[in-house]
Amino acid sequence: MSPPHPNPRPELRLDDRDIAILATLSREGRIAKTDLAGRVNLSPTPCWERMKRLEKAGLIRGYRAEIDLAGLGPHVQVFVTVELESHRAESFQIFERTIARMEQITGCWAIGGGYDYLMQVIARDVAAFQVLMDGLLESRAGVRRYFSYIVTKPVKELPPASALLGAGGG
């Protein structure tokens, strides 16, 4: 298991309106500022000031478009559990630096419970996925073994913050 990542952000006091702003933005990142202000029962200027404060505090890390991958063409999404050969701090750092450079790996989380990491991979097809994994095994990333789980259909996809913000999770 990798060492825990410290939270460098000091605790920020959030009120109900801050939570409402975060919840709305997590669902609708392109909402007009005036519409957002109306939804959280603020005038535009105070709403904008709160958004800036939340951005400065690092709670809002960015705004993205949600892309329909099927519309871009054939692809395969794979979740991969990874076990490293060694559990020294240096081994975790090497693995993390290696996968950071691999664009097909779109998410990676250090996990507990038997495996060291859970990765999310988007590839053109299974053959392209296997080329990626062969390259990872041949690299000096220190992978002992991995298990692949191909996504056959999405069942539920919410922004990760939804569960904490009460933003339609459930």
Side-chain angles (χ1 to χ4, degrees), residues 57-136:
L59 285 172
I60 298 173
R61 296 190 316 197
Y63 301 88
R64 297 182 179 101
E66 188 175 326
I67 308 298
D68 178 11
L69 295 178
L72 295 176
H75 70 283
V76 63
Q77 180 173 322
V78 186
F79 284 93
V80 182
T81 55
V82 176
E83 181 183 345
L84 298 184
E85 291 175 353
S86 168
H87 290 129
R88 296 186 341 255
E90 178 186 20
S91 300
F92 292 110
Q93 293 165 1
I94 291 169
F95 175 81
E96 290 173 14
R97 280 195 307 267
T98 301
I99 62 118
R101 296 187 300 265
M102 303 174 116
E103 287 185 2
Q104 290 175 297
I105 299 174
T106 58
C108 184
W109 302 269
I111 58 174
Y115 298 104
D116 299 311
Y117 292 95
L118 173 65
M119 298 188 314
Q120 180 181 31
V121 179
I122 306 291
R124 205 173 46 256
D125 53 30
V126 173
F129 166 73
Q130 193 58 56
V131 167
L132 174 82
M133 294 310 296
D134 289 346
L136 187 59

Side-chain angles (χ1 to χ4, degrees), residues 133-167:
M133 294 310 296
D134 289 346
L136 187 59
L137 289 171
E138 292 170 6
S139 73
R140 297 180 183 259
V143 174
R144 171 178 290 162
R145 64 183 176 160
Y146 71 92
F147 295 91
S148 307
Y149 305 90
I150 294 176
V151 174
T152 57
K153 75 175 183 177
V155 175
K156 183 176 182 180
E157 295 178 299
L158 290 174
S162 295
L164 296 176
L165 296 171

